[in-house]
Amino acid sequence: MRVITDIDRQCGTNKQVIYFTTGDPVHCADQDTTSNCCGDLSVPAQMDTENQRGRDGSQKRSPLDMIMNQLRRKTSFTERKKPSVGRFFRPSENNEKNNVSIPETKETEISEGKNSTQPETESGGVDPEICSVVGWGRVKQFVQKLGKTPDSESLNLSHCDLTATDLLELGTLLPFLAQLEVVDVSWNDLLGGSLQALTVHLQHVGRLKTLKLSGCRLTAEDLGALGEALDTVPLLEILDLSWNSGAGGGNLHCLTSHFGSAGALRELHVVDCQLSEADAMSVGEALPLVPCLEVLDLSSNPLVVRGRENVLSALGYTPHLRSLRLRMCGLDRASLAILGEQLQLLPALEHLDLSCNKESGGGFSAVVMSLSFLTHLRSLDMHSCCLTEENVLELAQVIPCLGDLTDLDLSSNKRVGGVLQTLLPGLPLSKMKRLHLSDCGLSHEAYHALATSMKSFTQLESLSLSWNKSVGTNLRWLLEPLQAGCKLQELGLCSCDLTTEDMLHLESACKRGAMSRLRLLDLSCNGGVGDGGWVSLFGEAGGLKELRELDVSLRPSTSLSASPWMPALLEALHQLPSLCHLALKRWALTPGEREKLQRTASKRNVGLEWDELAAPGIR
């Protein structure tokens, strides 16, 4: 059956004539849509009879109705979307239907080129809803081609090898990301010199709160363009410029001179930017402009004398500061004296990192005595600071004032170990979560005092005692107080002169469930442990269900055969469902053992760190 439709518009008449055939004879049906001014069309008598019957009988339908109903039932959804004759008669109704169609359909039709022009509203403008859908489609395509997941509120494009062309395209997409709050393009070192392609469009993302530009090789021009755009993002709270050497060398003022428009800034990260004296002075001048600042990180910038003094003297203008990180900034005695005075003006401080400032020569007395004003301090990091016994004794006097302290790192301070026992009684032991005392030269008296206190460390999650020889043969003192349900997640015992007996006590702790939450276990550089010690430890691997990282490597100058305990290790891997990294450096294996270990580790997605060493007698 065929149906042929035509429209006669002669003399202003809209006449729809439908011809249908059921074989050789041809019939036609005439349907007037307006008055006929050109005369009646000739219609076969048989059709007139059938139409008359349809009008006379209310329960009967004409053949035309039956034919059209069948056609409607057979028409697919895709075919119904195609232009129909009705569009010529009801344009306004058709537009309304377009406006309520689902976004996915609109995006598909436009992307496939079904419409030669952009859809328009009744007033003649471009439909904003469709433009938004098309724009989001472009955003998704751009983000997905970089292997990332599209998110209308957070755009993470770090480590994507972005080029200046990509940044230009990203800038044109910002108008379609009005809800964007986070932009991270860190570690794309080809972006240097082209940041303006992005900053000129920041006006479209007025809700932006976080901007991360670490490791992008920014230039002075980039800093200037960013500074000029700060007033378009008044809600910006976090700015990270770390690891951009171009931010130093006297260029930082290109950005900080615009900080008057960054009153909402709460975090400023400028780690390892090779800041010069001029840059440090720019930071000092900018701090009064950001009174809401809560986090300041200037780590790994060896500041010269005048620069250090300028920055430290301006800290008093940031009374809301919660985190101050000055790791490896070359602080000397004079700088620490200024810092000690300013700390008294920072009552909200919770995290203080002064690590790796060996130039101080033990001149931390002024800082230590000012810690009593920091009643909300939770984290104190002073590792590698050449602390003296006098500094530790002074710290012991103020520690009782730090009732919220949960994190203390005094590692790599050789003289701490002799007087640590005077510090422990003042610590809020029941709140401590992290205690790092590696390479502190712990004396037997200090170690015994620590072991005695282990019962009180009910919240302790990370404990590091590496490079303290007093632990060897005495691990039992430390482990016996630990019972099932212990919250310890990290245990560092590298180069502690552990013995086979120590491994037996570690096995016992695993058996009673004291190590059930352990995620990291460092037993490296302990060549004194015999084969029986490793066999016993791996035999209780079931007590290390959450272990993720295990290191049993030997010292660089040592090489031993792993054959005696390799079967126990292979069996243990099946009982360690969370393990993802295993270090076996300098242990020698036979080709067969290596193949078995590699096959087992591959099946369980465990990364291996080992050396290509053959077992003795194997070439």
Side-chain angles (χ1 to χ4, degrees):
M1 178 180 298
R2 295 185 298 111
V3 177
I4 307 173
T5 304
D6 194 5
I7 298 176
D8 186 0
R9 289 201 172 108
Q10 297 177 359
C11 300
T13 302
N14 289 333
K15 183 182 291 289
Q16 183 175 353
V17 183
I18 302 176
Y19 303 91
F20 60 95
T21 63
T22 56
D24 294 333
V26 177
H27 309 278
C28 66
D30 189 335
Q31 294 179 336
D32 283 336
T33 57
T34 63
S35 61
N36 186 359
C37 65
C38 296
D40 296 331
L41 293 177
S42 177
V43 182
Q46 182 178 356
M47 178 55 63
D48 288 339
T49 304
E50 293 177 353
N51 288 341
Q52 184 65 30
R53 291 176 181 175
R55 287 190 293 268
D56 294 340
S58 60
Q59 296 181 352
K60 297 182 180 180
R61 292 185 299 175
S62 68
L64 176 60
D65 292 335
M66 297 174 63
I67 293 171
M68 295 307 296
N69 286 337
Q70 292 178 2
L71 289 175
R72 291 191 187 99
R73 286 195 295 268
K74 293 181 179 180
T75 303
S76 66
F77 173 74
T78 304
E79 291 172 340
R80 287 200 298 271
K81 291 195 298 181
K82 293 181 179 179
S84 63
V85 176
R87 296 194 177 194
F88 295 100
F89 299 96
R90 297 183 296 278
S92 60
E93 178 184 350
N94 207 46
N95 285 343
E96 292 176 359
K97 292 181 178 179
N98 284 340
N99 289 337
V100 299
S101 60
I102 58 176
E104 289 81 356
T105 303
K106 291 181 182 178
E107 184 179 338
T108 304
E109 290 179 354
I110 294 170
S111 63
E112 292 178 355
K114 292 185 178 180
N115 296 322
S116 59
T117 60
Q118 288 185 339
E120 298 184 353
T121 61
E122 293 182 1
S123 60
V126 178
D127 190 335
E129 180 185 353
I130 294 182
C131 287
S132 177
V133 172
V134 174
W136 178 242
R138 288 181 54 199
V139 172
K140 290 197 298 183
Q141 183 179 12
F142 177 78
V143 174
Q144 289 173 348
K145 77 177 182 180
L146 297 172
K148 300 288 187 174
T149 302
D151 188 330
S152 61
E153 296 184 358
S154 178
L155 189 62
N156 182 1
L157 300 178
S158 61
H159 300 277
C160 284
D161 295 326
L162 295 179
T163 63
T165 304
D166 294 325
L167 199 63
L168 184 64
E169 182 178 357
L170 175 60
T172 64
L173 297 177
L174 292 186
F176 308 110
L177 291 167
Q179 307 299 318
L180 198 62
E181 295 184 358
V182 178
V183 173
D184 185 356
V185 292
S186 300
W187 303 109
N188 291 287
D189 55 6
L190 299 179
L191 300 185
S194 59
L195 190 62
Q196 187 176 10
L198 180 67
T199 58
V200 295
H201 296 283
L202 289 181
Q203 62 202 33
H204 299 291
V205 287
R207 297 187 179 185
L208 190 67
K209 294 182 179 180
T210 301
L211 180 59
K212 297 183 178 182
L213 299 166
S214 302
C216 290
R217 294 191 179 181
L218 299 182
T219 64
E221 291 76 12
D222 294 327
L223 296 176
L226 177 59
E228 293 174 357
L230 286 179
D231 60 345
T232 64
V233 283
L235 301 181
L236 189 66
E237 296 180 353
I238 301 175
L239 179 59
D240 193 344
L241 305 173
S242 301
W243 294 285
N244 282 291
S245 58
N251 296 329
L252 194 60
H253 74 93
C254 298
L255 172 65
T256 57
S257 60
H258 297 275
F259 267 22
S261 302
L265 196 65
R266 297 182 182 276
E267 295 188 21
L268 178 61
H269 302 265
V270 198
V271 178
D272 195 9
C273 287
Q274 299 183 16
L275 299 184
S276 64
E277 179 180 348
D279 296 318
M281 296 185 71
S282 296
V283 173
E285 295 170 358
L287 290 181
L289 303 177
V290 284
C292 296
L293 197 67
E294 296 180 357
V295 177
L296 177 61
D297 192 349
L298 299 175
S299 298
S300 301
N301 287 292
L303 305 175
V304 295
V305 177
R306 287 186 59 193
R308 290 195 301 265
E309 294 178 353
N310 192 276
V311 171
L312 297 174
S313 299
L315 289 176
Y317 293 102
T318 57
H320 302 290
L321 202 64
R322 294 186 299 105
S323 178
L324 177 61
R325 301 187 179 104
L326 298 173
R327 177 181 182 272
M328 202 182 298
C329 284
L331 301 182
D332 56 12
R333 288 176 177 265
S335 301
L336 292 173
I338 298 175
L339 177 60
E341 296 175 359
Q342 296 299 311
L343 287 179
Q344 301 178 28
L345 305 177
L346 303 175
L349 200 64
E350 297 179 1
H351 304 275
L352 179 60
D353 185 354
L354 302 175
S355 60
C356 300
N357 283 290
K358 298 181 179 180
E359 295 81 1
S360 63
F364 275 86
S365 296
V367 171
V368 170
M369 298 310 295
S370 297
L371 293 179
S372 59
F373 294 92
L374 307 180
T375 55
H376 298 290
L377 194 67
R378 298 170 54 191
S379 174
L380 177 60
D381 190 346
M382 300 179 71
H383 78 268
S384 298
C385 283
C386 296
L387 295 181
T388 64
E389 294 181 355
E390 182 181 355
N391 293 149
V392 178
L393 293 175
E394 293 170 344
L395 183 59
Q397 296 177 17
V398 300
I399 278 291
C401 301
L402 308 180
D404 292 336
L405 194 67
T406 61
D407 185 336
L408 178 62
D409 191 344
L410 299 177
S411 299
S412 301
N413 287 291
K414 296 286 188 180
R415 298 185 180 181
V416 168
V419 291
L420 180 67
Q421 61 273 20
T422 64
L423 182 67
L424 291 174
L427 287 174
L429 303 182
S430 60
K431 294 182 179 180
M432 295 297 297
K433 293 184 177 181
R434 182 174 178 268
L435 181 61
H436 283 201
L437 300 170
S438 298
D439 196 20
C440 282
L442 287 182
S443 64
H444 285 280
E445 183 182 358
Y447 175 70
H448 187 270
L450 174 63
T452 304
S453 303
M454 287 305 295
K455 285 185 178 181
S456 301
F457 285 104
T458 55
Q459 303 297 319
L460 195 63
E461 296 177 356
S462 179
L463 176 63
S464 179
L465 299 176
S466 297
W467 296 290
N468 284 295
K469 306 306 179 183
S470 58
V471 179
T473 68
N474 298 310
L475 188 61
R476 170 175 58 90
W477 298 350
L478 190 75
L479 297 180
E480 282 186 346
L482 304 181
Q483 300 300 321
C486 175
K487 296 184 178 182
L488 197 63
Q489 298 180 11
E490 299 180 1
L491 180 59
L493 298 172
C494 171
S495 189
C496 286
D497 284 352
L498 299 182
T499 64
T500 300
E501 183 180 356
D502 292 325
M503 289 295 104
L504 295 177
H505 291 293
L506 185 56
E507 172 202 6
S508 179
C510 292
K511 186 179 298 185
R512 64 175 178 269
M515 303 284 109
S516 59
R517 298 187 182 182
L518 203 64
R519 297 183 178 182
L520 183 150
L521 179 58
D522 186 357
L523 300 173
S524 58
C525 302
N526 285 291
V529 177
D531 297 332
W534 298 118
V535 171
S536 63
L537 174 63
F538 296 139
E540 285 298 329
L544 298 167
K545 293 291 186 181
E546 296 188 17
L547 191 65
R548 297 181 181 179
E549 299 183 40
L550 174 62
D551 192 346
V552 296
S553 301
L554 295 174
R555 296 178 183 276
S557 59
T558 308
S559 177
L560 297 173
S561 173
S563 298
W565 49 264
M566 184 53 58
L569 174 60
L570 293 173
E571 182 63 28
L573 290 179
H574 297 284
Q575 304 178 53
L576 299 173
S578 301
L579 191 66
C580 57
H581 182 265
L582 173 62
L584 296 161
K585 299 184 72 173
R586 290 170 290 280
W587 283 102
L589 290 78
T590 65
E593 291 168 346
R594 183 176 296 274
E595 181 181 356
K596 289 180 180 179
L597 180 58
Q598 196 163 17
R599 188 188 315 117
T600 303
S602 178
K603 289 181 179 179
R604 308 195 66 82
N605 295 322
V606 177
L608 293 176
E609 185 179 356
W610 55 6
D611 298 315
E612 296 293 333
L613 297 177
I618 303 295
R619 294 184 179 180

